[in-house]
Amino acid sequence: MSEKFLWGSATAAYQCEGAWDEDGKGASIWDEFCHSEANTTKITGDVSCDFYHHYQEDIKMMADCGQNTYRFSISWSRILPKEDHVVNQKGLEFYDKVLDECEKYGIVPNVTLIHYDLPDYIGAKGGWCYDGVSDEFAYYTKVCFEHFGERIPLYTTINEPNHNAYCNYCVGNYPPNEKNNLQDYAHCVYNMMVCNAKAIREFRKFNFKNAKIGYVHGCAPATALSDEPAYKEAVKKLDFFCNDPFTEPAIWGRYNPELVAEVKKLGIDLSFVKQEDLDIMKDNTIDFLGQNIYSRQLAKPYESGGTRFTVNNAGNNDGTKNTARETRAIEGWFETDRDPNTQLNKWGREIYPACAYSTLMLRKEKFGNIPIYITECGHGAYDIADENGYVEDDDRIEFLENYLHYILKAKEDGVNVKGFYVWSTMDLYSWINGYKKRYGLVRVDYDNGLKRIPKKSYYWYKDFISKHKDI
Ligand code: NOJ
């Protein structure tokens, strides 16, 4: 793989492919959830922007923009539709065709092996809390390594295990929709990191010379608005919740004993931890970190109100005014803080470009020179199109320009940043926020044959890449 800086954009299988039951694909937990009563929005990814049938057009559009890399994910249940371990050749063929298209334009594939969409047959056994999940994942990833090999030079095991576990078991807005369940959160987090390590163990068996493996982390290191000792303690605890249990085993191959002791004090039963898993983690760490950058993680000392987790899914996707803030609080540990002076997006999330710099510098401070790819960065908005479907998304351009300013500054200051991916390549299904929360560089007209129309930000990115391709 060329050592050029990678400039690209990202998508994920369930969010863009559609074709949810085509060519032998099995159901994932997202298919199951979206088709069930629990999905009160009734919005699904059944068709989405139908990348399954539009991949040629979409990849050509990336190339025309000057992008030299594409981050996408493989749908596990397209490859292994049933629990019998029989490989669906048509599933492999689809991704072969996507890779052919990338090769045609010199686009480097950066491929995530799972992006939230566990096969439903694993969901039925307990999902990420099923202790067999890591062997199942190891088997699935081996099938991928064997088949795709070095055609994929950048593999990532799991997308945002932190956010995924959080939504599954704390907020309850992702399947299996459990709320405030710290016991299952801890179990899920642990199993995910065992999955990560076992997949890496499979990967290493192939002795690839031109392929590397990482995982994608979804949040910034915690920070605070005050230096007082109680705030520092809250920062540490917020990191214990959403950073350290992922980054430390993935990069260092071990857990911090203080973290483990504190988790036990919360009353969490850690009997699921096995020495053999810890040994596998120790020997199987990542080559690079995928870091998604959106906003800060501000901590303050826990005050009151009990353990609770809320998100803002903005009034069931109707595009209105809801600016409610998100809350994370663990009794005795921390609460998330709010800075009254920062701008918020329509979902109550901070727009805070300097967090890109602090995130990268703090990662370097802790983990040294590890290669980092910014695997996602982007702006969710209720885009308004003109009569030709064109979107003048100046807000998105401003967001990306400002975040990139800080990312490039961190690179100049010594962080080993090797690539950047806008979330997202085109408009797609935004999980529980449906289709009105748009992130794409390219608009998808869902009412008009899924027509693709590049937005102003697409042309801005093209220009930006042309000026920065040799950094
Ligand atoms: C993180 C996730 O990886 C992706 O699936 C999601 O749509 C974006 N962030 C935007 O929220």
Side-chain angles (χ1 to χ4, degrees):
M1 187 182 90
S2 91
E3 267 304 303
K4 284 190 102 170
F5 192 85
L6 296 183
W7 289 109
S9 57
T11 62
Y14 185 74
Q15 294 183 269
C16 74
E17 284 177 4
W20 76 278
D21 62 350
E22 218 171 302
D23 289 336
K25 179 180 170 297
S28 77
I29 55 172
W30 273 88
D31 295 307
E32 166 61 23
F33 163 68
C34 282
H35 297 154
S36 76
E37 289 298 309
N39 176 12
T40 52
T41 70
K42 302 290 165 234
I43 302 167
T44 76
D46 287 1
V47 179
S48 185
C49 53
D50 198 20
F51 177 75
Y52 197 76
H53 300 104
H54 290 251
Y55 66 94
Q56 288 167 307
E57 179 186 350
D58 289 330
I59 295 171
K60 177 170 186 315
M61 210 133 31
M62 292 170 211
D64 289 345
C65 180
Q67 297 176 41
N68 62 358
T69 185
Y70 172 39
R71 174 175 177 235
F72 61 94
S73 79
I74 295 179
S75 154
W76 179 347
S77 56
R78 231 182 246 297
I79 307 295
L80 295 168
K82 299 200 197 96
E83 58 183 317
D84 57 12
H85 284 187
V86 176
V87 175
N88 176 27
Q89 292 304 325
K90 293 231 169 192
L92 294 175
E93 272 166 32
F94 169 63
Y95 296 106
D96 281 337
K97 288 188 286 182
V98 170
L99 293 172
D100 288 345
E101 235 29 50
C102 288
E103 271 161 28
K104 180 157 131 196
Y105 298 109
I107 290 179
V108 175
N110 180 335
V111 177
T112 304
L113 291 156
I114 185 158
H115 194 123
Y116 303 170
D117 51 349
L118 268 185
D120 186 43
Y121 54 84
I122 297 201
K125 290 183 170 167
W128 290 108
C129 288
Y130 163 53
D131 285 328
V133 69
S134 57
D135 289 327
E136 294 289 343
F137 188 63
Y139 178 78
Y140 153 64
T141 58
K142 177 175 157 255
V143 169
C144 292
F145 302 141
E146 204 156 52
H147 182 80
F148 301 114
E150 296 188 350
R151 283 195 86 189
I152 297 177
L154 296 169
Y155 284 95
T156 59
T157 55
I158 307 185
N159 177 67
E160 294 194 340
N162 64 302
H163 188 70
N164 196 355
Y166 177 68
C167 291
N168 293 354
Y169 295 106
C170 296
V171 180
N173 58 345
Y174 289 10
N177 310 97
E178 288 181 26
K179 290 188 203 314
N180 280 20
N181 188 340
L182 282 182
Q183 176 63 44
D184 282 356
Y185 173 78
H187 195 172
C188 167
V189 165
Y190 172 80
N191 279 353
M192 284 174 154
M193 298 326 284
V194 180
C195 284
N196 175 68
K198 287 192 179 172
I200 295 175
R201 183 171 64 171
E202 293 306 319
F203 178 84
R204 300 282 179 234
K205 289 181 190 161
F206 290 89
N207 271 317
F208 295 131
K209 297 281 169 289
N210 296 304
K212 301 215 178 303
I213 193 157
Y215 90 100
V216 172
H217 192 72
C219 71
T223 49
L225 298 172
S226 156
D227 275 345
E228 281 171 34
Y231 278 77
K232 286 197 173 145
E233 191 54 32
V235 164
K236 182 160 95 180
K237 293 290 176 34
L238 179 51
D239 277 336
F240 278 0
F241 180 61
C242 63
N243 277 300
D244 301 347
F246 307 91
T247 51
E248 291 181 356
I251 299 173
W252 288 337
R254 60 180 151 77
Y255 287 102
N256 173 356
E258 190 190 346
L259 156 71
V260 177
E262 290 296 328
V263 168
K264 282 187 185 154
K265 276 195 224 157
L266 285 178
I268 290 170
D269 172 6
L270 293 181
S271 54
F272 50 76
V273 175
K274 291 196 221 76
Q275 188 55 45
E276 63 178 279
D277 296 336
L278 299 178
D279 293 342
I280 297 169
M281 282 187 199
K282 181 156 95 24
D283 295 335
N284 294 283
T285 54
I286 54 175
D287 299 320
F288 66 87
L289 179 67
Q291 175 71 59
N292 293 350
I293 298 185
Y294 289 97
S295 46
R296 283 187 292 184
Q297 295 288 319
L298 283 181
K300 67 177 181 183
Y302 172 78
E303 283 167 12
S304 58
T307 296
R308 64 200 187 282
F309 310 97
T310 58
V311 292
N312 177 344
N313 291 136
N316 264 357
N317 312 302
D318 67 354
T320 50
K321 56 293 140 191
N322 187 347
T323 51
R325 299 294 297 270
E326 302 180 336
T327 301
R328 300 173 164 203
I330 296 185
E331 196 165 349
W333 271 30
F334 68 86
E335 285 187 28
T336 41
D337 205 358
R338 290 160 191 193
D339 181 345
N341 303 315
T342 45
Q343 201 193 336
L344 303 181
N345 72 11
K346 291 278 182 346
W347 290 262
R349 285 242 169 113
E350 278 194 334
I351 298 178
Y352 195 81
C355 77
Y357 186 75
S358 54
T359 294
L360 293 169
M361 295 309 280
L362 287 167
R363 292 283 180 240
K364 181 180 164 64
E365 196 178 292
K366 181 161 177 176
F367 298 113
N369 209 32
I370 184 163
I372 298 182
Y373 293 85
I374 316 301
T375 32
E376 290 180 28
C377 180
H379 179 56
Y382 295 111
D383 288 347
I384 298 169
D386 69 13
E387 65 281 7
N388 301 315
Y390 183 64
V391 180
E392 293 216 29
D393 50 348
D394 292 304
D395 51 345
R396 181 166 294 111
I397 294 172
E398 187 185 335
F399 182 103
L400 290 169
E401 206 157 43
N402 292 338
Y403 275 68
L404 274 163
H405 165 78
Y406 283 106
I407 288 165
L408 294 182
K409 183 168 153 52
K411 181 170 158 41
E412 267 166 39
D413 290 347
V415 182
N416 193 5
V417 184
K418 297 178 85 71
F420 175 85
Y421 297 81
V422 174
W423 182 269
S424 51
T425 307
M426 64 293 206
D427 292 335
L428 36 68
Y429 174 74
S430 224
W431 307 112
I432 214 63
N433 289 303
Y435 291 99
K436 288 189 181 156
K437 185 181 192 185
R438 294 175 184 249
Y439 283 88
L441 293 167
V442 173
R443 179 174 178 82
V444 174
D445 189 342
Y446 295 106
D447 301 322
N448 245 317
L450 302 173
K451 193 170 166 214
R452 271 65 169 159
I453 309 141
K455 302 178 192 175
K456 192 172 175 184
S457 56
Y458 170 94
Y459 297 104
W460 167 84
Y461 194 38
K462 180 174 178 163
D463 182 57
F464 191 93
I465 294 173
S466 75
K467 292 185 178 129
H468 294 84
K469 54 175 190 293
D470 297 318
I471 60 168

